[in-house]
Amino acid sequence: VQPRHPSLISAALFSSSPPPSSGVSLKHQHGRLVLEVPLPSRNEKCLFFLRPMLMTVGDLIADLQREDSGATASLLSTDGQHVANMTLLDTLLEKDFQLVINNEVYRVSAPEKVVTSSEHARNLEDMKHVVHLLHTALHLPEHQLLQERQLLERMDTIKQELSPLEKMKAQLSQTAEFQTSRALWTGMALLSVQGGALGWLTWWVYSWDVMEPVTYFITYATSMAAFSYYILTKQARFTENEHAS
């Protein structure tokens, strides 16, 4: 039977063989990548079917310790540097490495790469890209929650800083509304008094022929006074806005 290309999305399986072995081997078996490891507590070797693109170093160590609770495992590079648990097996298997089990160091040779066609290589690259997208999608909610928490904390800080300014704005708005209302009622009262005085002078003291030019000039002066007040108050507000900015 000719071995097929290794499947990269199959689940991890474990099988034990009775004869003990002192070495560790990494090879393709039944179309899949298999790591043969001796278990110290059980005094037998165990086969671990690997998923290079989906498993990390931490997953492999966890599988070893799950199979043999008395085993303490770690992975080192050929120069003795520890390999991070988050490293993908696909990256680790590109070079030789060392497997340490209970202070026993085993040298593991990288598996022979299977020669594939260009179309199959493109499919593998596409699959790697899909796995990367899935990994990003799975971890994206945690990143979004962290960003949301940071934004909420920042918004709460900004609200605390704006609280005194909001109170000052409310006080200024209340004062401006009161002054505007007072100015309007004062103007209404003055116009009422002016109209009553002109009517009294027109019908009881003088005639319309005498009061007609007087009422004209008084009305004209009132309009000029209102227009001047508007210009002065507008200029004052414009100057205050310039100083505030």
Side-chain angles (χ1 to χ4, degrees):
V1 179
Q2 296 295 330
R4 294 175 298 174
H5 299 302
S7 175
L8 301 179
I9 57 174
S10 58
L13 299 176
F14 306 96
S15 63
S16 301
S17 55
S21 176
S22 59
V24 175
S25 63
L26 184 62
K27 57 186 177 180
H28 293 284
Q29 183 175 344
H30 303 298
R32 302 171 63 183
L33 192 61
V34 180
L35 178 65
E36 185 180 22
V37 181
L39 300 178
S41 299
R42 297 166 50 176
N43 194 23
E44 62 181 8
K45 64 180 181 179
C46 185
L47 300 180
F48 293 87
F49 289 82
L50 305 181
R51 298 166 296 167
M53 292 180 57
L54 300 179
M55 291 180 63
T56 62
V57 172
D59 297 332
L60 178 58
I61 294 175
D63 292 341
L64 288 171
Q65 294 177 348
R66 189 182 302 110
E67 187 68 18
D68 188 350
S69 59
T72 302
S74 62
L75 292 178
L76 306 176
S77 61
T78 53
D79 54 358
Q81 299 292 329
H82 280 277
V83 180
N85 289 338
M86 296 303 297
T87 304
L88 288 174
L89 291 182
D90 189 31
T91 304
L92 177 68
L93 297 179
E94 293 179 356
K95 299 180 181 179
D96 297 346
F97 60 93
Q98 298 178 3
L99 175 61
V100 182
I101 302 178
N102 292 353
N103 298 325
E104 186 73 22
V105 181
Y106 301 95
R107 184 178 181 86
V108 183
S109 301
E112 296 182 359
K113 295 185 177 180
V114 181
V115 180
T116 57
S117 62
S118 59
E119 182 178 358
H120 186 67
R122 286 195 299 269
N123 293 335
L124 290 179
E125 292 297 329
D126 294 339
M127 188 177 297
K128 289 182 179 180
H129 181 65
V130 172
V131 171
H132 177 71
L133 292 178
L134 289 174
H135 182 271
T136 303
L138 291 175
H139 290 77
L140 185 60
E142 298 179 0
H143 178 71
Q144 289 180 345
L145 290 176
L146 179 60
Q147 293 293 326
E148 181 181 2
R149 189 180 303 110
Q150 292 177 353
L151 291 176
L152 289 176
E153 292 177 355
R154 184 178 178 184
M155 185 172 63
D156 184 64
T157 303
I158 293 176
K159 285 183 178 180
Q160 292 179 0
E161 294 177 354
L162 287 177
S163 180
L165 300 178
E166 292 290 343
K167 292 181 180 179
M168 185 180 297
K169 178 185 177 182
Q171 293 176 357
L172 292 176
S173 298
Q174 185 177 1
T175 303
E177 184 178 358
F178 173 75
Q179 292 181 354
T180 301
S181 179
R182 184 177 61 180
L184 292 175
W185 283 106
T186 302
M188 178 65 68
L190 292 176
L191 289 177
S192 299
V193 172
Q194 176 181 306
L198 292 177
W200 178 71
L201 292 175
T202 301
W203 286 295
W204 280 275
V205 179
Y206 305 105
S207 63
W208 175 248
D209 295 334
V210 176
M211 294 301 300
E212 182 180 3
V214 176
T215 55
Y216 172 78
F217 286 108
I218 289 178
T219 304
Y220 187 78
T222 302
S223 301
M224 289 184 61
F227 189 67
S228 301
Y229 175 79
Y230 171 75
I231 293 177
L232 292 175
T233 54
K234 180 181 178 182
Q235 184 66 27
R237 287 196 299 270
F238 181 73
T239 306
E240 291 177 358
N241 292 334
E242 284 186 345
H243 288 301
S245 60

